[in-house]
Amino acid sequence: STNLIECGVSEWDTDYVNLEQEVLFELILAANYLDIKSLLDLACAKVASMIKGKTPEEIRSKFNISNDFTPEEEAQVRQENRWCEDF
């Protein structure tokens, strides 16, 4: 689900990671550096919920990622990973 509460995350935790994207990524880096697994898992779950159900183009736009694949490379990757479109 794209809703963390529906995934069993508490409302307080959900509110805690309801941050601007840049701050959320800084929180992930800090949690990883400080080895706070539960915080890292929570923040990464938030990012996963932001990605779920989006097309590659929507994800690139949301996270300001440039597409460095040629059209041929992208077609090949899509062909090789067609199986995961069912999920």
Side-chain angles (χ1 to χ4, degrees):
S1 171
T2 58
N3 183 331
L4 291 178
I5 292 175
E6 290 176 7
C7 295
V9 176
S10 74
E11 185 175 346
W12 192 95
D13 286 348
T14 301
D15 290 342
Y16 189 80
V17 292
N18 190 18
L19 305 166
E20 292 181 22
Q21 185 174 302
E22 183 178 337
V23 176
L24 179 60
F25 288 130
E26 289 174 4
L27 180 65
I28 289 171
L29 292 173
N32 185 51
Y33 179 77
L34 296 171
D35 196 27
I36 306 172
K37 185 177 178 345
S38 58
L39 181 57
L40 180 61
D41 290 346
L42 174 63
C44 288
K46 172 64 176 180
V47 173
S49 74
M50 295 165 69
I51 292 172
K52 186 165 179 146
K54 304 261 188 303
T55 65
E57 293 78 19
E58 291 171 327
I59 294 168
R60 287 186 194 110
S61 176
K62 175 96 176 149
F63 296 104
N64 298 315
I65 300 169
S66 61
N67 183 4
D68 57 356
F69 286 115
T70 65
E72 294 80 19
E73 290 172 326
E74 187 167 347
Q76 180 182 354
V77 169
R78 287 183 188 273
Q79 178 65 31
E80 291 170 356
N81 296 288
R82 182 167 297 194
W83 61 270
C84 66
E85 293 178 8
D86 297 334
F87 295 100

